[in-house]
PDB file of all heavy atoms in Angstrom:
ATOM      1  N   SER A 237       5.314  -5.539  -8.687  1.00 98.00           N
ATOM      2  CA  SER A 237       5.733  -6.983  -8.564  1.00 98.00           C
ATOM      3  C   SER A 237       6.001  -7.319  -7.132  1.00 98.00           C
ATOM      4  O   SER A 237       6.441  -6.485  -6.390  1.00 98.00           O
ATOM      5  CB  SER A 237       7.016  -7.177  -9.360  1.00 98.00           C
ATOM      6  OG  SER A 237       7.567  -8.469  -9.026  1.00 98.00           O
ATOM      7  N   LEU A 238       5.599  -8.490  -6.769  1.00 98.00           N
ATOM      8  CA  LEU A 238       5.917  -8.936  -5.350  1.00 98.00           C
ATOM      9  C   LEU A 238       7.424  -8.828  -5.130  1.00 98.00           C
ATOM     10  O   LEU A 238       7.904  -8.831  -3.940  1.00 98.00           O
ATOM     11  CB  LEU A 238       5.505 -10.364  -5.099  1.00 98.00           C
ATOM     12  CG  LEU A 238       3.953 -10.599  -5.076  1.00 98.00           C
ATOM     13  CD1 LEU A 238       3.615 -12.093  -4.885  1.00 98.00           C
ATOM     14  CD2 LEU A 238       3.286  -9.829  -3.930  1.00 98.00           C
ATOM     15  N   ALA A 239       8.202  -8.798  -6.126  1.00 97.00           N
ATOM     16  CA  ALA A 239       9.668  -8.742  -6.123  1.00 97.00           C
ATOM     17  C   ALA A 239      10.285  -7.430  -6.083  1.00 97.00           C
ATOM     18  O   ALA A 239      11.504  -7.144  -6.027  1.00 97.00           O
ATOM     19  CB  ALA A 239      10.370  -9.612  -7.167  1.00 97.00           C
ATOM     20  N   HIS A 240       9.382  -6.407  -6.266  1.00 97.00           N
ATOM     21  CA  HIS A 240       9.882  -4.975  -6.525  1.00 97.00           C
ATOM     22  C   HIS A 240      10.013  -4.292  -5.190  1.00 97.00           C
ATOM     23  O   HIS A 240       8.891  -4.054  -4.524  1.00 97.00           O
ATOM     24  CB  HIS A 240       8.970  -4.186  -7.429  1.00 97.00           C
ATOM     25  CG  HIS A 240       9.662  -2.971  -7.944  1.00 97.00           C
ATOM     26  ND1 HIS A 240      10.017  -1.892  -7.234  1.00 97.00           N
ATOM     27  CD2 HIS A 240      10.123  -2.704  -9.261  1.00 97.00           C
ATOM     28  CE1 HIS A 240      10.596  -1.025  -7.936  1.00 97.00           C
ATOM     29  NE2 HIS A 240      10.643  -1.425  -9.215  1.00 97.00           N
ATOM     30  N   PRO A 241      11.192  -3.823  -4.702  1.00 96.00           N
ATOM     31  CA  PRO A 241      11.300  -3.200  -3.424  1.00 96.00           C
ATOM     32  C   PRO A 241      10.343  -2.008  -3.189  1.00 96.00           C
ATOM     33  O   PRO A 241       9.937  -1.757  -2.051  1.00 96.00           O
ATOM     34  CB  PRO A 241      12.758  -2.654  -3.402  1.00 96.00           C
ATOM     35  CG  PRO A 241      13.407  -3.509  -4.415  1.00 96.00           C
ATOM     36  CD  PRO A 241      12.465  -3.882  -5.414  1.00 96.00           C
ATOM     37  N   SER A 242      10.045  -1.239  -4.217  1.00 96.00           N
ATOM     38  CA  SER A 242       9.307  -0.092  -4.066  1.00 96.00           C
ATOM     39  C   SER A 242       7.778  -0.342  -4.079  1.00 96.00           C
ATOM     40  O   SER A 242       6.977   0.328  -3.359  1.00 96.00           O
ATOM     41  CB  SER A 242       9.542   0.957  -5.229  1.00 96.00           C
ATOM     42  OG  SER A 242      10.892   1.014  -5.525  1.00 96.00           O
ATOM     43  N   PHE A 243       7.282  -1.183  -4.832  1.00 97.00           N
ATOM     44  CA  PHE A 243       5.940  -1.360  -5.178  1.00 97.00           C
ATOM     45  C   PHE A 243       5.229  -2.695  -4.750  1.00 97.00           C
ATOM     46  O   PHE A 243       4.038  -2.891  -5.078  1.00 97.00           O
ATOM     47  CB  PHE A 243       5.730  -1.116  -6.674  1.00 97.00           C
ATOM     48  CG  PHE A 243       6.336   0.077  -7.210  1.00 97.00           C
ATOM     49  CD1 PHE A 243       7.251   0.060  -8.309  1.00 97.00           C
ATOM     50  CD2 PHE A 243       6.138   1.381  -6.615  1.00 97.00           C
ATOM     51  CE1 PHE A 243       7.819   1.215  -8.774  1.00 97.00           C
ATOM     52  CE2 PHE A 243       6.698   2.500  -7.031  1.00 97.00           C
ATOM     53  CZ  PHE A 243       7.606   2.373  -8.203  1.00 97.00           C
ATOM     54  N   SER A 244       6.008  -3.541  -4.098  1.00 98.00           N
ATOM     55  CA  SER A 244       5.394  -4.934  -3.776  1.00 98.00           C
ATOM     56  C   SER A 244       4.133  -4.793  -2.915  1.00 98.00           C
ATOM     57  O   SER A 244       3.232  -5.699  -3.137  1.00 98.00           O
ATOM     58  CB  SER A 244       6.473  -5.690  -3.035  1.00 98.00           C
ATOM     59  OG  SER A 244       6.903  -4.952  -1.863  1.00 98.00           O
ATOM     60  N   GLY A 245       4.022  -3.789  -2.162  1.00 98.00           N
ATOM     61  CA  GLY A 245       2.769  -3.771  -1.309  1.00 98.00           C
ATOM     62  C   GLY A 245       1.497  -3.438  -2.189  1.00 98.00           C
ATOM     63  O   GLY A 245       0.467  -3.971  -1.865  1.00 98.00           O
ATOM     64  N   VAL A 246       1.717  -2.685  -3.210  1.00 98.00           N
ATOM     65  CA  VAL A 246       0.601  -2.417  -4.110  1.00 98.00           C
ATOM     66  C   VAL A 246       0.162  -3.695  -4.831  1.00 98.00           C
ATOM     67  O   VAL A 246      -1.016  -4.024  -4.937  1.00 98.00           O
ATOM     68  CB  VAL A 246       0.980  -1.322  -5.165  1.00 98.00           C
ATOM     69  CG1 VAL A 246      -0.229  -1.059  -6.095  1.00 98.00           C
ATOM     70  CG2 VAL A 246       1.417   0.006  -4.466  1.00 98.00           C
ATOM     71  N   THR A 247       1.102  -4.473  -5.239  1.00 98.00           N
ATOM     72  CA  THR A 247       0.968  -5.751  -5.949  1.00 98.00           C
ATOM     73  C   THR A 247       0.068  -6.739  -5.046  1.00 98.00           C
ATOM     74  O   THR A 247      -0.870  -7.304  -5.548  1.00 98.00           O
ATOM     75  CB  THR A 247       2.271  -6.410  -6.310  1.00 98.00           C
ATOM     76  OG1 THR A 247       3.028  -5.443  -6.997  1.00 98.00           O
ATOM     77  CG2 THR A 247       2.043  -7.629  -7.117  1.00 98.00           C
ATOM     78  N   LEU A 248       0.490  -6.844  -3.800  1.00 98.00           N
ATOM     79  CA  LEU A 248      -0.202  -7.763  -2.888  1.00 98.00           C
ATOM     80  C   LEU A 248      -1.616  -7.243  -2.633  1.00 98.00           C
ATOM     81  O   LEU A 248      -2.564  -8.050  -2.577  1.00 98.00           O
ATOM     82  CB  LEU A 248       0.596  -7.917  -1.585  1.00 98.00           C
ATOM     83  CG  LEU A 248       0.030  -8.937  -0.629  1.00 98.00           C
ATOM     84  CD1 LEU A 248      -0.124 -10.322  -1.232  1.00 98.00           C
ATOM     85  CD2 LEU A 248       0.886  -9.168   0.507  1.00 98.00           C
ATOM     86  N   ALA A 249      -1.759  -5.940  -2.461  1.00 98.00           N
ATOM     87  CA  ALA A 249      -3.143  -5.349  -2.178  1.00 98.00           C
ATOM     88  C   ALA A 249      -4.066  -5.731  -3.425  1.00 98.00           C
ATOM     89  O   ALA A 249      -5.198  -6.014  -3.241  1.00 98.00           O
ATOM     90  CB  ALA A 249      -3.055  -3.855  -2.009  1.00 98.00           C
ATOM     91  N   LEU A 250      -3.565  -5.589  -4.613  1.00 98.00           N
ATOM     92  CA  LEU A 250      -4.304  -5.997  -5.798  1.00 98.00           C
ATOM     93  C   LEU A 250      -4.652  -7.477  -5.789  1.00 98.00           C
ATOM     94  O   LEU A 250      -5.799  -7.878  -6.172  1.00 98.00           O
ATOM     95  CB  LEU A 250      -3.476  -5.739  -7.036  1.00 98.00           C
ATOM     96  CG  LEU A 250      -3.545  -4.318  -7.606  1.00 98.00           C
ATOM     97  CD1 LEU A 250      -2.427  -4.104  -8.561  1.00 98.00           C
ATOM     98  CD2 LEU A 250      -4.852  -3.968  -8.167  1.00 98.00           C
ATOM     99  N   MET A 251      -3.832  -8.316  -5.336  1.00 98.00           N
ATOM    100  CA  MET A 251      -4.075  -9.788  -5.249  1.00 98.00           C
ATOM    101  C   MET A 251      -5.216 -10.010  -4.289  1.00 98.00           C
ATOM    102  O   MET A 251      -6.104 -10.802  -4.547  1.00 98.00           O
ATOM    103  CB  MET A 251      -2.845 -10.530  -4.850  1.00 98.00           C
ATOM    104  CG  MET A 251      -1.784 -10.701  -5.832  1.00 98.00           C
ATOM    105  SD  MET A 251      -0.461 -11.581  -5.137  1.00 98.00           S
ATOM    106  CE  MET A 251       0.162 -12.381  -6.670  1.00 98.00           C
ATOM    107  N   HIS A 252      -5.165  -9.459  -3.120  1.00 98.00           N
ATOM    108  CA  HIS A 252      -6.146  -9.651  -2.095  1.00 98.00           C
ATOM    109  C   HIS A 252      -7.444  -8.868  -2.326  1.00 98.00           C
ATOM    110  O   HIS A 252      -8.447  -9.229  -1.752  1.00 98.00           O
ATOM    111  CB  HIS A 252      -5.522  -9.429  -0.746  1.00 98.00           C
ATOM    112  CG  HIS A 252      -4.540 -10.504  -0.317  1.00 98.00           C
ATOM    113  ND1 HIS A 252      -3.796 -10.463   0.828  1.00 98.00           N
ATOM    114  CD2 HIS A 252      -4.236 -11.559  -0.900  1.00 98.00           C
ATOM    115  CE1 HIS A 252      -3.048 -11.529   0.973  1.00 98.00           C
ATOM    116  NE2 HIS A 252      -3.321 -12.247  -0.079  1.00 98.00           N
ATOM    117  N   GLY A 253      -7.372  -7.807  -3.024  1.00 98.00           N
ATOM    118  CA  GLY A 253      -8.636  -7.074  -3.304  1.00 98.00           C
ATOM    119  C   GLY A 253      -9.337  -7.634  -4.482  1.00 98.00           C
ATOM    120  O   GLY A 253     -10.560  -7.580  -4.470  1.00 98.00           O
ATOM    121  N   SER A 254      -8.664  -8.300  -5.517  1.00 98.00           N
ATOM    122  CA  SER A 254      -9.365  -8.789  -6.589  1.00 98.00           C
ATOM    123  C   SER A 254      -9.652 -10.239  -6.527  1.00 98.00           C
ATOM    124  O   SER A 254     -10.521 -10.695  -7.278  1.00 98.00           O
ATOM    125  CB  SER A 254      -8.492  -8.464  -7.898  1.00 98.00           C
ATOM    126  OG  SER A 254      -7.335  -9.245  -7.883  1.00 98.00           O
ATOM    127  N   CYS A 255      -9.021 -10.960  -5.631  1.00 98.00           N
ATOM    128  CA  CYS A 255      -9.298 -12.375  -5.480  1.00 98.00           C
ATOM    129  C   CYS A 255      -9.303 -13.208  -6.806  1.00 98.00           C
ATOM    130  O   CYS A 255     -10.358 -13.851  -7.097  1.00 98.00           O
ATOM    131  CB  CYS A 255     -10.551 -12.653  -4.729  1.00 98.00           C
ATOM    132  SG  CYS A 255     -10.682 -11.860  -3.122  1.00 98.00           S
ATOM    133  N   PRO A 256      -8.294 -13.136  -7.570  1.00 98.00           N
ATOM    134  CA  PRO A 256      -8.246 -13.805  -8.861  1.00 98.00           C
ATOM    135  C   PRO A 256      -8.370 -15.375  -8.763  1.00 98.00           C
ATOM    136  O   PRO A 256      -7.959 -15.852  -7.793  1.00 98.00           O
ATOM    137  CB  PRO A 256      -6.924 -13.408  -9.459  1.00 98.00           C
ATOM    138  CG  PRO A 256      -6.115 -13.172  -8.281  1.00 98.00           C
ATOM    139  CD  PRO A 256      -6.943 -12.553  -7.211  1.00 98.00           C
ATOM    140  N   GLN A 257      -8.870 -15.948  -9.831  1.00 98.00           N
ATOM    141  CA  GLN A 257      -8.778 -17.410  -9.931  1.00 98.00           C
ATOM    142  C   GLN A 257      -7.560 -17.870 -10.801  1.00 98.00           C
ATOM    143  O   GLN A 257      -7.058 -18.970 -10.601  1.00 98.00           O
ATOM    144  CB  GLN A 257     -10.084 -17.995 -10.590  1.00 98.00           C
ATOM    145  CG  GLN A 257     -11.186 -18.066  -9.580  1.00 98.00           C
ATOM    146  CD  GLN A 257     -12.440 -17.279 -10.034  1.00 98.00           C
ATOM    147  OE1 GLN A 257     -12.285 -16.179 -10.432  1.00 98.00           O
ATOM    148  NE2 GLN A 257     -13.543 -17.950  -9.990  1.00 98.00           N
TER     149      GLN A 257
END
Side-chain angles (χ1 to χ4, degrees):
Chain A
S237 166
L238 290 178
H240 198 293
S242 321
F243 309 127
S244 55
V246 180
T247 308
L248 185 55
L250 277 167
M251 286 181 148
H252 285 175
S254 67
C255 302
Q257 281 122 310

